[in-house]
Amino acid sequence: MNTKLTLTLEKEVIEKAKEFAARQGQSLSFLVENYFKLLTFEQKEEPKKKERKPLPESFLKLKGCLKHEGEFNYKEELTKALEEKYGL
């Protein structure tokens, strides 16, 4: 049984996703549904969670050593990097 779902996404993301779906010869709904299936796929056994080791002191000393001049939009930069990597 299919049910409608309304999502609110950035316009550019939707446009690029539609283009990607068209190149794949699939509908956007099909791609989203399969992505959700992948996300919610239950494994027979839950993988054991590893204990996190504390970060080494030498690593902690690096905090604040990199500076960025001007405004930095993390979402925008991440989007650009993902588009470049996956050709979206």
Side-chain angles (χ1 to χ4, degrees), residues 38 41 47 69 88:
L38 180 66
F41 179 73
E69 293 182 23
L88 296 175

Side-chain angles (χ1 to χ4, degrees), residues 2-84:
N2 290 337
T3 304
K4 278 188 137 183
L5 171 67
T6 303
L7 300 172
T8 304
L9 305 169
E10 293 177 14
K11 184 177 181 179
E12 187 176 326
V13 171
I14 295 170
E15 290 170 358
K16 290 186 179 198
K18 285 181 179 179
E19 291 170 5
F20 177 79
R23 286 194 309 269
Q24 301 300 314
Q26 299 170 330
S27 70
L28 188 54
S29 292
F30 178 82
L31 293 177
V32 171
E33 179 179 356
N34 283 307
Y35 179 66
F36 285 174
K37 284 179 181 177
L38 180 66
L39 289 176
T40 60
F41 179 73
E42 293 183 26
Q43 296 177 349
K44 290 181 182 180
E45 239 181 77
E46 287 288 321
K48 293 183 181 179
K49 292 185 178 179
K50 295 181 181 178
E51 279 189 41
R52 290 185 112 181
K53 295 179 183 176
L55 295 172
E57 186 65 33
S58 57
F59 183 80
L60 295 174
K61 289 180 182 178
L62 295 173
K63 183 179 179 182
C65 71
L66 297 176
K67 303 290 181 204
H68 185 275
E69 293 182 23
E71 290 188 28
F72 180 76
N73 185 330
Y74 170 75
K75 277 188 167 183
E76 187 177 296
E77 294 301 319
L78 178 60
T79 301
K80 285 180 191 175
L82 292 174
E83 288 172 353
E84 185 177 314

